[in-house]
Amino acid sequence: MSSEQGRPNKKARKAEKKGGRSMEEVEPRLPCTATKYDQHNIFAGMQHNTVPCEKLWDRPASFAILDHKPAARGHSILVVKAPAATLLDDLPPEVAAHILPDLQILVRAVQAATSCSGITVQQNNGSVAGQTVRQLHFHVIPCYSNPDATPSQHHPPTSNAHQQQQQQQSLSDPQGQGSLQLPESTAVCEEAEQGQLLADIRNRLPPSYSGEGCHVWVPSAEKMEQLGMHLQALLQPGTVVLLSGQLGSGKTSIARGCIRAWCRDPHMHVPSPSFLLNLTYQQDRGYEQQNVEQQQQQQQSHHQAQSGSPGPQPAAVHHMDPFRLGTKADKMAGLVDFDTAFQREVCIIEWADRMPKSVMDLPRKETLEVSISGVGAQAAGRHVWIRSASPESPAATALRAWRSQGLPPLSVSWLPGQANPGQSLLFDPSQRIAGPPDSWVVLGIESSCDDTAAAVIRGDGTVLAHKIASQAGLHEQYGGVKPDVARDAHAAAICSTVDGCLQDAGISAADLTAVAVTVGPGLSLCLQVGVKQALTLAATHNKPIVPVHHMEAHALMARMPKINQQPLQFPALLMLVSGGHNMLVRTDGVGKHHILGTTLDDSVGEAFDKVARLLGVVAIPGGPHLEALASREGASTKGAAYKQRITLPLRKDRDSCNYSFSGIKTQAGMVVDAERLRLGLQGPPAGVAAAAAGMGEGAADGQGPEGCDGVQGQGQGAPQTEAEEEFERCKAGIAWIFQDTCVRFLVERAERALQRCKEDAQQLGQPPLTCLVVAGGVAANKAVRQGLTDLAAKFGLPCICPPVKYCTDNGIMVAWTGVERLRLGLHRPPPPLDMVDKTVEVLPRWPLGTIDARGLNKQSEKFLKLVQ
Ligand code: KG4
Ligand code: ZN
């Protein structure tokens, strides 16, 4: 019990003196349980000034925590601080005494639901002023597992003590909203519902607290487009839509939907304007003129759907993106006649904060701001906040209606012959896949680089079949993967790989639950082959499609039951090391990734491949062969002698978790050349000579160094002379020191990341890491695995690496990611079969998640701009 009981605290006394209200003065006095437990009471009370709610509200900043871990249980809108006494300090003692047991239950429920133990804050006043104390700020809100339930059916928390208390007090609703229902079950809000819940909370909160306008939860990229289609109804001549959100947050998807609805063609090609800076769309109005009647009908339904009535349609829509101009963004000013556009046309602007000030200062008729929070593997969901800058505009009125009633059904009169892309955007739990997840059967297709792979797995992690058509031997003559050659090889192999897989699994496509496919990042030409195949199959058999992020798939491989002894739990630190990526990522769940560090130039896999080539390996990828060379007898002794010449990179960078591998690669090349010179070996370096001769075997199985003896995959014959023999030993030494330096470097930065996560757990109340995961092709390397396993042990964590044979690209990882996403409802319906070609969309550059600001310094910012 609170020690403050029995005496009004200082704040309460002060409030009374200032004319503030204390509980005693409130007439009629609400029973405090009712105040707490019924949202209607809270709101009604606030509106009529009968509830001293200022005591219960906190700053909107607390929402940051909800974003991170949406509170999933509870009822009534309250800010609960833990220890509860902090809040009780602010309440009149009798109220505090009454409320304490319930608060404790609420706090425990919230803590259990969110696994958040609180944040550390510096106390400005009160008895612990100046001290740093741990607090839990939560908005405990009505929570329900059925979004269609009416508010009076919302489930209060379900602890027994609480139920008993409610029964004893036989609560009634003093505002006449109907008595509260006791919970029937202890069902918690499922993860897939949490985002929706969060948007609901914000819509229910008064605008002074959660901002004007409407909050929408958008669970997938496709729904993002649908939101754009809804937004179109708000466009009027002179509307300027400002889209903000990080790269990969879905700004272009919203713009695309908006423009497609405006042009009434649901499949119109609406590319990102980032290269052309501006794309202008003129609407063909001929159809309306011929069908005046239909137009009137459409307008009528518009009026019904929106409380703000859409005015006349604008003549042109400009879709702009100044991102690539960087410091030269003032060039945007010359692209469009903005005086006219801002008054009579429509502008949809991505990265508006980068537009020239001269343009943004021009008078605008109506501004709609659309902010998207979140980034990363797109389908994990986004919170979108739409608001109008002028409270009296029709758009503002419509948004208020959206806020209170939810989005209206989509009302676009599509051009004749165009399939309707969907009716409504609202979160739809009926999209859940039927049957127990363990029984699902999912096909995964992977074609992002040089392996065509497919797999069929069951939802419980059983692999029913998997196949890889390797392109080994094909790219060696080019010294790297050649995209058009790879594309042709994928196209030649895709049908037999997928069909063969289904056959091996003993099923037909009709038996599948869903089709998962890698849509990025990777080589655009290659990705398209897999995506097209997946869409065709899904469209033919009416199966849901799951778009998969290649790097997330690598990571989730560590979560697949059956093949991992100890499957990955969240949160985890991921070390993603492949041919294209080199990242340290804190992951809190599927689609919830935060990049702590990345490479500023090459990835470690790329460096392995390039150095392997310098050492005479012609096979692609060369990484496993380099490992084989480094594990030759005597390699470590020989390699130790090169320690001064192949050194750890980025010595001046003392606190970032970023990487750079091009320096080590250059040093390795210099040592190779120096040794050749010393030994009097003639001619070009071995790799070049071998490549020119077009010799060598590929690492056909892609299964790591087993089967690579360090000679296989090399272009040379057996050494002839003593010098050549000595050079062979040097090569092994160089391979060893290169690999050893890479491992030490990987470990050094991973240690920083682990340390950072540990501090964040202590200081921000983030849940502590449960493991370190190493995934991606380079995770097949034994020294890498060992180095990181030892590091994790220092932090008392397990290190999880998927089995070596599943580290490199494969179809199983895509299929498993498909299962994980299906569980969260993150899938989309198939396109109509005749639309497949138009709906093939890939994301060659697709950020996995947000980038930690602490990893950004001048050098990395420059780099990150380049890669974007
Ligand atoms: O993940 P992955 O199969 O393809 C990409 O998504 O890039 O990774 C391929 C990369 C190549 O650079 C390859 O050389 C490297 O992983 N790799 C290895 C080993 N096995 C594969 N690098 C070092 N040691 C290995 N045993
Ligand atoms: Zn990969």
Side-chain angles (χ1 to χ4, degrees), residues 122-139:
Q122 174 117 31
Q123 202 72 11
N124 283 332
N125 42 37
S127 52
V128 283
Q131 287 180 31
T132 306
V133 295
R134 181 161 290 274
Q135 289 189 343
L136 178 72
H137 297 237
F138 274 119
H139 307 259

Side-chain angles (χ1 to χ4, degrees), residues 610-777:
K610 287 177 178 167
V611 172
R613 205 163 170 74
L614 294 172
L615 295 173
V617 174
V618 272
I620 289 179
H625 297 280
L626 188 142
E627 180 179 9
L629 267 175
S631 42
R632 279 187 186 173
E633 213 184 314
S636 60
T637 325
K638 190 85 191 156
Y642 297 122
K643 210 155 187 167
Q644 307 300 323
R645 293 155 77 182
I646 297 185
T647 56
L648 282 169
L650 297 184
R651 284 311 80 199
K652 284 189 187 147
D653 172 6
R654 297 199 178 275
D655 57 12
S656 95
C657 299
N658 290 330
Y659 289 100
S660 160
F661 286 95
S662 69
I664 317 186
K665 177 197 68 191
T666 309
Q667 287 180 334
M670 283 160 61
V671 177
V672 173
D673 287 347
E675 289 298 48
R676 292 185 67 83
L677 200 67
R678 180 176 69 82
L679 295 167
L681 290 172
Q682 302 292 310
V688 178
M695 301 187 324
E697 285 276 296
D701 55 12
Q703 295 192 355
E706 292 99 348
C708 306
D709 57 7
V711 175
Q712 186 201 22
Q714 295 194 35
Q716 298 150 302
Q720 304 285 324
T721 62
E722 233 172 75
E724 281 171 356
E725 266 175 29
E726 168 60 7
F727 185 60
E728 279 301 302
R729 286 189 288 276
C730 294
K731 284 199 313 193
I734 296 166
W736 183 89
I737 184 73
F738 167 77
Q739 176 176 281
D740 183 67
T741 313
C742 287
V743 172
R744 279 187 286 128
F745 190 36
L746 288 174
V747 167
E748 177 192 83
R749 303 291 152 124
E751 179 161 14
R752 284 183 191 173
L754 285 169
Q755 190 58 36
R756 188 160 288 174
C757 290
K758 198 170 156 184
E759 285 161 14
D760 287 352
Q762 282 160 0
Q763 289 166 14
L764 303 176
Q766 281 184 358
L769 295 178
T770 60
C771 58
L772 172 66
V773 174
V774 191

Side-chain angles (χ1 to χ4, degrees), residues 446 448-451 550-551 554 577-581 603-609 621-627 702-705 739 776-782 784 804 807-810 813:
E446 156 65 39
S448 64
C449 189
D450 59 348
D451 286 323
H550 181 82
M551 295 315 289
H554 269 303
V577 275
S578 73
H581 292 84
S603 70
V604 63
E606 208 173 341
F608 263 78
D609 294 342
H625 297 280
L626 188 142
E627 180 179 9
Q703 295 192 355
Q739 176 176 281
V778 184
N781 183 292
K782 285 202 189 69
V784 170
V804 170
C807 281
T808 44
D809 295 351
N810 62 71
M813 66 188 203

Side-chain angles (χ1 to χ4, degrees), residues 20 50 427 431 554 673 849:
T50 49
F427 174 74
Q431 274 193 10
H554 269 303
D673 287 347

